[in-house]
Amino acid sequence: MIEYRDAVTGDAAALSTLSRQSFTDTFGHLYRPEDLAAFLETLSEQAWAAQLSDPGFRIRIAEDDGVAAGFAKLGPPALPVERRGPSAELRQLYVLGAWHGTGVAATLMDWAIETSRAEGAQDLYLSVFIENHRARRFYEKRGFERVGTYTFMVGEQADEDDLMRLAL
């Protein structure tokens, strides 16, 4: 049974492990080892602890029998978009491969949308790697539209992301 709850500071280690594994499993083959290592450092336990202590972030975690399966993280908008009003940003939505297709991502996305609305956001923004077709289809099915591009850095490698917006 998958359970969902708000993450707490004690989840920093689990979120670090989950985010590092998910990113590496999905994208690790695209990068030089030193670029991947530099990026993974941004997902350290210390970085997670800081975000979990920051009231500007909202993080929801999915657990399957106590094992972290996925998470969604909302934060203040930082993407280079021209905002139309109060906005939120889905900073990350990661689900480990064993839970793909189980509804975890959909439940986490529903939470992100509902939470953004409840906090007064008019729009919800995110960025997605242009080659991540599965994720892009997932977002488009929920009504997100492409509104631009963004350079996402992994170490010294620049990737092109699509910027997407959902009108709430």
Side-chain angles (χ1 to χ4, degrees):
M1 175 90 181
I2 299 172
E3 296 181 359
Y4 300 86
R5 63 176 176 80
D6 292 339
V8 296
T9 53
D11 292 318
L15 287 165
S16 176
T17 298
L18 187 156
S19 59
R20 287 171 178 235
Q21 180 181 346
S22 180
F23 189 87
T24 301
D25 290 351
T26 306
F27 303 112
H29 66 283
L30 299 173
Y31 304 107
R32 299 178 315 166
E34 58 271 25
D35 289 330
L36 181 60
F39 180 78
L40 293 178
E41 191 55 36
T42 69
L43 304 174
S44 70
E45 184 175 343
Q46 295 78 14
W48 275 105
Q51 290 178 6
L52 287 162
S53 298
D54 184 334
F57 288 93
R58 299 266 190 270
I59 302 164
R60 189 83 168 162
I61 190 167
E63 294 177 318
D64 190 356
D65 199 22
V67 175
F71 71 90
K73 178 172 67 174
L74 290 170
L79 291 169
V81 295
E82 191 171 320
R83 293 191 287 274
R84 304 182 303 179
S87 302
E89 183 179 321
L90 180 60
R91 297 280 186 98
Q92 292 166 312
L93 175 59
Y94 286 10
V95 177
L96 293 175
W99 288 273
H100 286 182
T102 65
V104 170
T107 301
L108 290 169
M109 178 57 81
D110 290 345
W111 168 84
I113 293 168
E114 291 167 15
T115 301
S116 298
R117 272 192 191 117
E119 293 181 356
Q122 176 180 325
D123 293 305
L124 178 60
Y125 291 93
L126 59 82
S127 71
V128 60
F129 180 49
I130 61 168
E131 297 297 324
N132 191 345
H133 303 294
R134 178 186 180 125
R136 186 180 170 107
R137 283 191 306 272
F138 174 81
Y139 299 133
E140 287 172 342
K141 284 180 184 177
R142 277 147 188 83
F144 281 86
E145 297 176 324
R146 183 181 177 280
V147 293
T149 60
Y150 172 67
T151 300
F152 183 83
M153 298 301 296
V154 177
E156 294 181 5
Q157 181 170 326
D159 287 336
E160 185 178 352
D161 276 17
D162 281 327
L163 294 171
M164 300 186 83
R165 176 183 64 216
L166 175 67
L168 301 172

